[in-house]
Amino acid sequence: MINKEEVIRIYDLAHLNLEEDRVDILAEKYTKVLDFAELIMEVDTTDVKPLEMIQEEKAVFREDIPEESLDREKALENAKDREYGYFRLKKVID
């Protein structure tokens, strides 16, 4: 089950705004999704043959044209935190 603190932490890590009245609703929705995924993982598939679907469509690629990249300062102008000319990110995995 996803609790309120986990929902707040997820939104904080993603730098998303979260209204207080939505926390309980989101926790319930996340819990339903995870419960459903867990239910799917419990299905016995030992006698089920793998199915491969290969589409015969050709991928259309655009021509790779090198362009000048962004100036470092321009790229970092909206960074929440930076260090030594790079984005500085929060540690996500403990």
Side-chain angles (χ1 to χ4, degrees):
M1 176 167 187
I2 298 287
N3 60 35
K4 288 180 170 184
E5 291 77 26
E6 288 173 299
V7 170
I8 293 168
R9 181 175 178 269
I10 290 167
Y11 272 72
D12 184 50
L13 286 171
H15 301 292
L16 296 172
N17 294 329
L18 178 62
E19 297 171 15
E20 185 64 36
D21 60 336
R22 303 268 308 147
V23 176
D24 287 327
I25 296 167
L26 290 168
E28 185 179 326
K29 286 183 178 184
Y30 287 142
T31 299
K32 284 182 181 179
V33 169
L34 291 175
D35 287 347
F36 183 67
E38 190 174 303
L39 183 66
I40 290 172
M41 296 303 287
E42 292 174 3
V43 174
D44 181 17
T45 59
T46 42
D47 293 329
V48 178
K49 294 180 182 176
L51 177 65
E52 293 184 19
M53 300 285 292
I54 300 175
Q55 295 182 355
E56 300 207 11
E57 295 178 24
K58 294 195 177 214
V60 179
F61 295 105
R62 64 172 170 78
E63 186 177 341
D64 191 12
I65 303 170
E67 296 179 7
E68 191 169 328
S69 63
L70 283 177
D71 172 77
R72 182 180 299 243
E73 281 305 311
K74 179 75 175 161
L76 292 170
E77 71 183 11
N78 291 321
K80 247 189 163 178
D81 193 9
R82 58 165 116 176
E83 183 175 45
Y84 307 116
Y86 296 96
F87 290 99
R88 183 170 181 200
L89 305 174
K90 288 183 180 179
K91 184 178 180 181
V92 178
I93 300 174
D94 292 324

